[in-house]
Amino acid sequence: MTRIDDTFARLRAQGKKAFVSYIMGGDPDEATSLAIMQGLPAAGVDVIELGMPFTDPMADGPTIQAAGQRALEGGMTMDKVLAMVRAFRKGDQTTPIVLMGYYNPIYSRGVDRFLKDAAEAGIDGLIVVDLPPEEDDELCIPAQKAGLNFIRLATPTTDDKRLPKVLQNTSGFVYYVSITGITGAAAAQASDVGPEVARIKRSTDLPVIVGFGISTPEQAKAIASVADGCVVGSAIVKDIGAGVPVAEVLARVKALSDGAHSA
Amino acid sequence: MAEDGLNSFMSGPDEQGRFGLFGGRFVSETLMPLILELEERYEHAKTDPSFWAEMDDLWKHYVGRPSPLYFAPRLTEHLGGAKVYMKRDELNHTGAHKINNVLGQIILARRMGKTRIIAETGAGQHGVATATVCAKFGLKCVVYMGAHDVERQAPNVFRMKLLGAEVIPVTSGRGTLKDAMNDALRDWVTNVRDTFYCIGTVAGPHPYPAMVRDFQSIIGKEVRWQLAEQEGEGRLPDVVVAAIGGGSNAMGLFYPFLDDPSVRIVGVEAGGKGVDDRMEHCASLTGGRPGVLHGNRTYLLQDADGQILEGFSISAGLDYPGIGPEHAWLHDVGRAEYVSITDAEALEAFQLCCRLEGIIPALEPSHALAQVMKLAPTLPKDRIIVMNMCGRGDKDIFTVARHLGVQMKV
């Protein structure tokens, strides 16, 4: 059982939906990024997705691309992302942290070394966008063995024939990408998302969390009501990129989490 | 023959899309179903005589294949060693080898019912070829091109627009080929249902590296019979040389010779200002290490933390921090050798070719030519080198003029 499993078990017992939020590690700088991260649980965030910056984020829209560039220009590295997690864990032992990003920085470090460092730092799960089930031997299987959840994306193009393959080695939760597109793109409609979530839930007992295209408390509520929770990323990252003070960023997060939790 | 004497160097990739360690399918889930469908459709087309009949007809009547294999007498005499032949793929319609592959992919796209074609382009040659074939078939065409390349390859940008394509300048990153490929992939993820991504080189997720290689292999296949025609039955080249950015013209020339051990295979990477710690080059094999980008594992220019570095080359078509996975494998197993040529050496070869052979080469094959200039003098006169003249240099005259300090009014 990881912190992710514990959190979803607790939410389920409480009859509550999960609110997941994404920030880019080191954006706009290390200190501010850590301060925001430390404020997320009090702002109602149940699971933190922490972005690992990468030069070539092929699944991300302009907002998160720019966040990654800001972080890299500020000297962010994998070591510093891990240090951020360790610093966060000094004050918070319960909020799950999912590291999200692309495979090359992990491959470059060496999968075994990365998994050891990630587990020791207090990371609970991984979302690696460019590792489909066809490449499970690379990281997914080793990560499960190291006690980390490997959270898979399911998308509108994942048909019934393919769904079992996508779910096979997934753990923690299933991240349903509500649109065919990149992060920060057009809003998803709850009326489209609901049947898709139901379709996935017929094949798994894992929680299904919906992300991409959610930017307002109203959307968070609407989407969370047809799933086990929702993810907001770009809307928060946009504020951070605009230099909005930490307290105001966290106030927006609180409004979004209230939306999701009222579902 | 391969190292165990049983397997061929020509049997890759395996069912995982791997050439040894390299290749694979490192893409987001949204694209995976389409990648698998593409593989299935390509596997079917490969053995479908009607597919190849359509290709052969268009290659002959639209592209102008076979391209000549030209013995370069004055260059040979000047270098004083091996006989130099040029495979004249710059004489193809649109002026480069790129159209060989584009035709194959567009015919496949049409068979898959796709109505919108996207492409990335560096020098603009692949963009022009894609825009051309889309115009011919009445397909919507969107080309992603780094903003920096839009500026240095203005004539090709205008060509694409004349052909009805939409050219989108890419400003992310440093605005070169790598960034154009990122944005093309983002477009594809967004418009996956009606859109076909026509990749211009032997890179990307499986089956692209194998598929593009197969389409470009027409180059090497023609060289085999053309050289036999000119030099006698069974005569193979002693050395084949080609420039490499992603590596599609090189794979096209090399592939049909992989199992002929007497044929020495030389790939030429762009050395930019020199392959050293400044990393102002695009020599992925000489100066990079294995990593994962754009759907495949291959040698990449990257820093210690796995962040991708921008390449540097005078040639927009070679300005890419990676290389096709099959080249990475051929490098590691030692079947092909890979060297690098600097901007200055390529510029010298460019001018020599203009003056001695009356051929204005693109800056990309000028790199291959520069390696021929080093190699030919070291070989006896009965040896034969075939280099791939994969593109013509009209697009590059402004760049060359600038480097030679010549002011030109457009």
Side-chain angles (χ1 to χ4, degrees):
Chain A
M1 291 283 277
T2 64
R3 290 185 191 89
I4 298 171
D5 300 323
D6 291 342
T7 296
F8 281 107
R10 175 177 56 78
L11 289 168
R12 190 172 292 187
Q14 295 170 343
K16 268 177 78 179
K17 304 291 185 170
F19 180 69
V20 181
S21 85
Y22 172 96
I23 59 167
M24 173 65 78
D27 171 38
D29 57 69
E30 286 174 67
T32 312
S33 189
L34 178 61
I36 295 168
M37 188 180 180
Q38 285 168 331
L40 292 176
V45 172
D46 299 302
V47 178
I48 296 172
E49 276 181 22
L50 184 62
M52 296 178 282
F54 182 48
T55 40
D56 294 80
M58 288 155 303
D60 285 304
T63 302
I64 290 178
Q65 288 174 42
Q69 276 181 5
R70 283 193 297 272
L72 289 173
E73 278 160 18
M76 206 59 189
T77 59
M78 177 77 82
D79 279 339
K80 290 179 180 177
V81 172
L82 293 168
M84 234 180 113
V85 174
R86 282 194 298 272
F88 177 88
R89 278 280 171 252
K90 281 183 186 157
D92 186 317
Q93 285 296 322
T94 55
T95 307
I97 299 173
V98 174
L99 219 54
M100 182 164 183
Y102 296 80
Y103 185 40
N104 198 56
I106 295 171
Y107 181 71
S108 168
R109 191 179 188 86
V111 166
D112 291 342
R113 183 179 158 216
F114 167 80
L115 289 173
K116 185 171 167 285
D117 293 347
E120 277 174 11
I123 286 159
D124 307 288
L126 304 173
I127 299 177
V128 183
V129 182
D130 50 356
L131 285 177
E134 280 72 8
E135 304 291 351
D136 266 359
D137 292 340
E138 294 282 333
L139 181 65
C140 174
I141 306 293
Q144 313 269 29
K145 282 187 186 149
L148 295 176
N149 288 136
F150 196 87
I151 294 133
R152 185 92 65 200
L153 306 180
T155 74
T157 59
T158 310
D159 59 16
D160 285 333
K161 192 175 130 222
R162 184 168 168 79
L163 189 57
K165 195 175 175 80
V166 170
L167 295 173
Q168 191 183 10
N169 292 317
T170 300
S171 62
F173 60 92
V174 178
Y175 186 133
Y176 180 67
V177 177
S178 63
I179 50 164
T180 57
I182 51 180
T183 54
Q189 296 297 319
S191 54
D192 295 334
V193 170
E196 289 296 299
V197 172
R199 176 171 74 92
I200 295 167
K201 290 185 78 74
R202 280 198 292 276
S203 302
T204 180
D205 293 329
L206 289 170
V208 178
I209 307 300
V210 177
F212 283 41
I214 302 164
S215 61
T216 66
E218 294 72 27
Q219 286 170 338
K221 181 183 178 181
I223 295 291
S225 69
V226 297
D228 296 306
C230 67
V231 188
V232 178
S234 296
I236 298 165
V237 171
K238 196 174 274 177
D239 272 4
I240 296 171
V244 171
V246 172
E248 286 176 43
V249 171
L250 293 172
R252 178 194 282 277
V253 174
K254 182 70 169 65
L256 288 158
S257 73
D258 285 347
H261 288 146
S262 69
Chain B
M1 287 295 115
E3 57 273 36
D4 61 2
L6 291 170
N7 291 323
S8 158
F9 283 109
M10 297 170 74
S11 61
D14 65 19
E15 63 278 11
Q16 298 297 312
R18 300 285 182 90
F19 302 90
L21 176 68
F22 304 103
R25 285 176 289 218
F26 296 90
V27 296
S28 60
E29 171 61 21
T30 310
L31 294 177
M32 230 16 250
L34 186 71
I35 299 273
L36 293 172
E37 188 199 345
L38 176 62
E39 181 184 350
E40 196 185 313
R41 299 295 284 262
Y42 177 59
E43 284 304 316
H44 178 259
K46 236 167 52 173
T47 54
D48 176 0
S50 76
F51 179 84
W52 290 105
E54 195 176 352
M55 288 287 285
D56 287 341
D57 181 66
L58 288 167
W59 269 341
K60 185 175 177 190
H61 298 108
Y62 191 65
V63 175
R65 301 210 73 92
S67 68
L69 181 67
Y70 167 68
F71 170 60
R74 295 191 66 215
L75 185 66
T76 299
E77 194 192 338
H78 176 81
L79 297 175
K83 293 174 81 168
V84 177
Y85 278 85
M86 296 175 176
K87 179 59 172 165
R88 303 285 307 276
D89 254 49
E90 100 280 13
L91 294 176
N92 292 339
H93 181 37
T94 70
H97 67 291
K98 293 292 186 185
I99 198 164
N100 301 332
N101 158 54
V102 169
L103 272 178
Q105 289 197 48
I106 301 289
I107 293 172
L108 202 56
R110 275 161 52 84
R111 289 179 169 217
M112 290 172 75
K114 303 294 180 187
T115 53
R116 181 175 175 272
I117 308 296
I118 58 169
E120 85 295 333
T121 198
Q125 294 303 104
H126 175 61
V128 167
T130 306
T132 297
V133 180
C134 285
K136 179 184 158 43
F137 285 113
L139 296 165
K140 185 171 166 50
C141 178
V142 177
V143 179
Y144 288 89
M145 187 168 187
H148 178 58
D149 291 336
V150 167
E151 187 196 326
R152 62 175 164 172
Q153 301 288 344
N156 272 343
V157 175
F158 186 59
R159 276 185 197 110
M160 287 185 267
K161 289 180 177 169
L162 283 174
L163 292 159
E166 183 187 352
V167 180
I168 301 183
V170 174
T171 51
S172 63
R174 216 190 67 186
T176 59
L177 182 54
K178 156 179 102 77
D179 310 298
M181 200 150 178
N182 288 334
D183 267 18
L185 283 162
R186 291 178 185 123
D187 178 310
W188 201 22
V189 167
T190 307
N191 301 295
V192 62
R193 294 182 202 276
D194 70 343
T195 297
F196 186 98
Y197 182 11
C198 182
I199 295 184
T201 191
V202 285
H206 178 64
Y208 281 98
M211 179 171 71
V212 176
R213 172 202 71 198
D214 292 345
F215 293 145
Q216 290 293 1
S217 293
I218 186 72
I219 298 171
K221 284 178 196 161
E222 286 176 4
V223 168
R224 279 189 93 96
W225 66 257
Q226 288 172 319
L227 195 67
E229 221 172 60
Q230 296 180 50
E231 292 281 347
E233 196 58 41
R235 183 68 166 99
L236 293 174
D238 297 293
V239 191
V240 290
V241 183
I244 298 183
S248 72
N249 91 81
M251 256 346 285
L253 176 62
F254 297 171
Y255 186 67
F257 296 106
L258 289 181
D259 284 341
D260 297 294
S262 72
V263 180
R264 183 176 163 195
I265 296 175
V266 182
V268 184
E269 295 191 287
K273 294 181 180 171
V275 182
D276 54 31
D277 293 346
R278 291 173 303 163
M279 295 305 268
E280 288 179 312
H281 62 83
C282 294
S284 321
L285 288 175
T286 323
R289 62 192 169 87
V292 173
L293 180 71
H294 294 154
N296 58 176
R297 175 163 30 223
T298 187
Y299 277 80
L300 297 172
L301 302 181
Q302 54 184 318
D303 70 11
D305 218 36
Q307 303 295 344
I308 309 303
L309 299 173
E310 301 282 352
F312 180 91
S313 170
I314 189 174
S315 151
L318 303 180
D319 203 345
Y320 182 69
I323 184 168
E326 193 165 7
H327 286 295
W329 175 71
L330 290 170
H331 170 265
D332 275 16
V333 299
R335 175 61 188 101
E337 56 193 283
Y338 294 86
V339 297
S340 68
I341 284 291
T342 64
D343 287 353
E345 291 169 326
L347 272 171
E348 196 191 324
F350 177 99
Q351 295 171 79
L352 191 73
C353 185
C354 292
R355 286 196 306 269
L356 288 182
E357 294 296 343
I359 294 170
I360 301 178
L363 283 168
E364 292 79 13
S366 296
H367 285 71
L369 214 50
Q371 183 61 25
V372 170
M373 285 165 61
K374 289 184 180 178
L375 207 55
T378 69
L379 296 172
K381 292 186 174 183
D382 61 349
R383 299 296 166 84
I384 294 172
I385 301 178
V386 175
M387 67 80 60
N388 198 7
M389 183 59 72
C390 62
R392 66 175 182 228
D394 310 48
K395 70 183 173 63
D396 292 318
I397 54 172
F398 298 101
T399 304
V400 172
R402 198 164 57 246
H403 281 270
L404 298 179
V406 178
Q407 295 260 327
M408 260 201 303
K409 282 199 181 117
V410 186

